[in-house]
Amino acid sequence: MRFEPTEIARLYGRSRVGVVVHRDLNAVYVNDAYAKMLGRKDVKDFMAEPDLRQYIPPSFHYEASKLVAKFQDSTGFHGWKKVYNIRTDGTPVWMEISDETVEWGDDNAVLTTAQLIDNGTTAMQVDHMLGRSFIGVMVHRDMTALYVNDAFACLMGAHNASAFMEKPDILRFIPEADRDRAIKHVADILHGAREGERHRVRDILDDGSTVWRDLTDERILWHDGRPAILTTAHDVREEVEMNEALMRTKAGLEEAVTEVIRMVPSAVAMLDVHQNVTNFNREFARLFGEEQQNKDDNPVFDISILCNLYASMIKGGHGHANVDSVETPSGSHADIRMNLMEDGRVMVSALDISSHKRKEQHLDALASTDPLTGALNRRGFESAVSRLREIRLLKGKVWQFGLVVLDLDYFKYVNDTYGHSVGDRVLEKIAITLRQALRDDDLVVRLGGEEFAVLLPSATTAVTKRIAERLANMIRAIEIPVGASGNEMVTITASFGVTVGGELRGQFVELEQALLVADRAMYDAKEAGRDTIRFLTFDDDIDN
């Protein structure tokens, strides 16, 4: 099928369906709908950087390049698929797309249409949840990798996930003597004949080096509708090397173990056959020791966590056990590893991950909040709304919400007259006022600049309008002192756009749709003279 740019523009230029025509993953045409799906302002902004790879997660670059090359060399329609892309602000966007080969100019190109959806495929969910995890993750079928994250790729000697997927055969890593057993093990799990369990394997990398992995296999349904295996893997080379060293020096085991344990920076201890602590280092005493009045007394340990882990390990018939992010008697969180030795004793290691968890929580907070006002940013807002919606649905209740969008009036005048420091104080005071006026489960977000939004879970139209009026009155009452004397006060007003969303009269209004409607209502309030409130429904906006 042959298309001209003018014909594409006539057919799809104003369509709500996103359309992009591309060759070798470089766009030659897009419409406004597609540009805005990917976070661009408009077509001109999008075409300033037409490389589509910037919107594709790195783990899928190789696969996407292969598919596009295949489609360009073929003809016709290539079916629908679900994918997720990364917007320019780093947030994921879930899309259902179709690909079709068309004639464009002197050569073939691929015409892709896209619609936004709530959920992606298993592949995309795996990458979104685990793509940046320090745990190695692979999805495979018939000894061929379908997906890996960067952690797994690096564990197996590749530079990153994309490089690994250039050679997706995983049988080459398995020692030849173990291949038949490994193939049967994988086939049994794939066909549901056995449950996956944690076990330890030794792999041979392409450069001839050895890597030991503790891994777990789980049967999942992949996006093509067929079963596959999700494997998670931990690098345990150091642990294996330490165990081998201990076994080689069995004759002088006590002395060797004591020295090794003392030098290891993580918490390490040896338990005897009755689960009594016989050897330990200072870090183990810090995590599992009870507070002593006399520092010279022998330490007393609370190892109930370790005893429970040991009992589980023995009951399962395994020689090793693991548990992650457990709270120790000291109040710290630790990843614990346990290995049963030939003589019945147990080697325990524990890594304190408390600082790592605090850093993760801090980074999550930075990523989801506005640093000036402490209000949610757009990313944190969408995530919080998603959680509220899931909780509501789990309780069997209707998901409905009120939405208020407000934009400060003449804020530029405040900045120009009194300086940006005063403007910042105004924004901070607005955020504080909004939070103090609302319930704990109401959400306050700074959309950008001087624009804020408030989401009210379960609020009706009447309640939403009433709260908007109350917020308008509270903002009018704000006074910010300026000048050296502090006698001069800056006041501010805001224009409000109000709407409702969720399940309404047989239709479902998504958050993004509600934001557009509320934004439209807010601009109506601006045009009406500012410092006023306008209410608009989704149906009203469509009619307009």
Side-chain angles (χ1 to χ4, degrees):
M1 181 178 294
R2 183 176 184 84
F3 278 102
E4 297 294 337
T6 55
E7 185 178 5
I8 289 285
R10 180 177 58 81
L11 291 173
Y12 298 110
R14 297 185 179 181
S15 174
R16 292 189 178 184
V17 176
V19 176
V20 57
V21 180
H22 53 99
R23 184 182 292 127
D24 299 326
L25 289 177
N26 277 280
V28 296
Y29 168 85
V30 294
N31 67 354
D32 270 338
Y34 189 87
K36 291 176 181 178
M37 285 180 188
L38 276 302
R40 292 293 186 177
K41 295 179 182 177
D42 50 28
V43 170
K44 182 179 179 181
D45 184 32
F46 188 101
M47 293 303 291
E49 297 179 86
D51 186 0
L52 299 182
R53 291 174 182 82
Q54 63 185 299
Y55 308 109
I56 301 173
S59 301
F60 298 96
H61 281 183
Y62 181 72
E63 182 178 354
S65 297
K66 287 202 307 182
L67 280 176
V68 169
K70 177 183 176 182
F71 292 166
Q72 288 178 191
D73 292 337
S74 59
T75 59
F77 182 70
H78 306 296
W80 290 86
K81 59 181 70 66
K82 295 178 181 179
V83 301
Y84 93 98
N85 287 160
I86 304 298
R87 291 191 181 101
T88 53
D89 63 359
T91 59
V93 54
W94 304 92
M95 311 167 81
E96 188 167 24
I97 68 170
S98 70
D99 294 307
E100 180 180 0
T101 302
V102 298
E103 293 182 36
W104 187 272
D106 298 330
D107 203 352
N108 283 354
V110 179
L111 185 150
T112 297
T113 61
Q115 300 182 61
L116 297 181
I117 56 175
D118 285 335
N119 294 299
T121 65
T122 303
M124 306 311 165
Q125 290 168 344
V126 168
D127 187 65
H128 182 52
M129 293 185 294
L130 302 174
R132 297 183 180 180
S133 172
F134 65 89
I135 300 172
V137 179
M138 172 178 64
V139 179
H140 57 102
R141 182 192 295 131
D142 302 327
M143 307 308 288
T144 300
L146 304 174
Y147 166 84
V148 297
N149 66 354
D150 281 342
F152 188 92
C154 294
L155 178 60
M156 304 307 290
H159 180 65
N160 53 33
S162 183
F164 183 96
M165 291 303 291
E166 293 179 10
K167 295 174 63 179
D169 170 40
I170 59 175
L171 191 61
R172 71 183 193 274
F173 299 118
I174 302 174
E176 191 169 349
D178 299 331
R179 289 182 181 177
D180 290 341
R181 179 188 55 78
I183 292 172
K184 184 178 185 306
H185 172 81
V186 168
D188 286 346
I189 295 176
L190 192 63
H191 295 98
R194 67 180 298 171
E195 295 289 333
E197 58 184 29
R198 180 169 287 275
H199 56 287
R200 180 167 294 180
V201 299
R202 178 177 68 95
D203 290 330
I204 307 298
L205 304 185
D206 291 336
D207 62 3
S209 61
T210 297
V211 59
W212 284 90
R213 295 183 291 133
D214 274 2
L215 58 85
T216 300
D217 297 314
E218 179 182 356
R219 184 177 184 267
I220 64 172
L221 193 65
W222 199 232
H223 65 84
D224 57 7
R226 296 168 55 202
I229 296 176
L230 173 69
T231 295
T232 58
H234 293 268
D235 186 350
V236 293
R237 279 176 287 192
E238 293 184 1
E239 188 176 338
V240 169
E241 290 170 1
M242 185 174 73
N243 285 340
E244 289 178 347
L246 292 175
M247 293 302 297
R248 286 194 300 267
T249 58
K250 191 173 181 179
L253 185 60
E254 289 296 336
E255 182 180 350
V257 167
T258 300
E259 183 63 16
V260 170
I261 288 175
R262 185 186 66 81
M263 295 178 63
V264 172
S266 57
V268 180
M270 183 74 74
L271 310 183
D272 63 19
V273 294
H274 303 293
Q275 291 82 65
N276 297 312
V277 179
T278 58
N279 302 89
F280 60 91
N281 63 358
R282 183 177 300 176
E283 180 68 0
F284 184 88
R286 183 182 71 83
L287 292 179
F288 295 93
E290 296 182 352
E291 187 174 349
Q292 299 287 97
Q293 292 184 349
N294 189 345
K295 293 184 179 181
D296 295 331
D297 291 344
N298 291 328
V300 177
F301 297 104
D302 179 358
I303 59 169
S304 54
I305 297 170
L306 304 181
C307 291
N308 292 336
L309 185 60
Y310 174 83
S312 176
M313 178 179 70
I314 297 301
K315 182 178 179 181
H318 305 308
H320 58 276
N322 309 277
V323 62
D324 294 333
S325 192
V326 174
E327 185 174 355
T328 67
S330 67
S332 300
H333 284 78
D335 290 345
I336 300 174
R337 304 289 180 263
M338 179 176 288
N339 287 279
L340 184 64
M341 306 187 71
E342 286 186 355
D343 59 3
R345 291 185 296 174
V346 178
M347 174 68 76
V348 176
S349 62
L351 178 64
D352 188 345
I353 61 169
S354 301
S355 61
H356 177 71
K357 290 179 71 67
R358 286 193 295 269
K359 288 177 182 177
E360 282 188 342
Q361 292 168 353
H362 179 63
L363 290 174
D364 285 344
L366 289 177
S368 61
T369 57
D370 172 50
L372 174 63
T373 64
L376 293 171
N377 60 21
R378 186 62 173 262
R379 173 183 174 183
F381 180 51
E382 292 176 350
S383 177
V385 171
S386 178
R387 289 196 300 271
L388 285 174
R389 177 179 176 181
E390 289 174 1
I391 292 171
R392 193 77 179 170
L393 295 178
L394 285 173
K395 292 181 177 180
K397 297 182 180 180
V398 172
W399 170 242
Q400 183 176 327
F401 59 87
L403 183 65
V404 179
V405 170
L406 59 127
D407 188 88
L408 303 186
D409 298 327
Y410 304 110
F411 184 71
K412 184 177 184 300
Y413 172 80
V414 173
N415 277 334
D416 293 346
T417 305
Y418 302 103
H420 287 276
S421 62
V422 173
D424 288 348
R425 286 162 55 197
V426 170
L427 294 174
E428 291 172 348
K429 183 62 176 178
I430 291 292
I432 292 171
T433 301
L434 294 177
R435 283 195 295 268
Q436 290 176 343
L438 300 173
R439 302 169 300 179
D440 289 342
D441 57 348
D442 296 333
L443 302 179
V444 177
V445 57
R446 183 185 179 192
L447 295 174
E450 61 268 28
E451 188 174 9
F452 293 81
V454 172
L455 184 129
L456 310 167
S458 307
T460 63
T461 297
V463 170
T464 306
K465 289 179 178 178
R466 188 163 63 249
I467 291 176
E469 291 171 356
R470 187 174 70 184
L471 295 178
N473 290 330
M474 295 179 72
I475 289 174
R476 293 187 192 106
I478 291 175
E479 293 183 340
I480 304 295
V482 296
S485 64
N487 294 327
E488 184 179 359
M489 296 291 179
V490 171
T491 59
I492 197 78
T493 63
S495 299
F496 287 75
V498 180
T499 190
V500 288
E503 298 183 31
L504 305 168
R505 301 187 302 277
Q507 68 174 341
F508 194 94
V509 179
E510 296 285 0
L511 175 63
E512 286 295 329
Q513 296 169 321
L515 279 169
L516 291 174
V517 174
D519 206 49
R520 168 72 179 276
M522 182 270 293
Y523 279 108
D524 287 350
K526 290 282 188 185
E527 292 175 1
R530 295 179 170 81
D531 189 21
T532 189
I533 300 171
R534 287 291 183 268
F535 176 79
L536 195 63
T537 67
F538 182 67
D539 289 335
D540 293 335
D541 191 48
I542 291 176
D543 293 340
N544 290 333

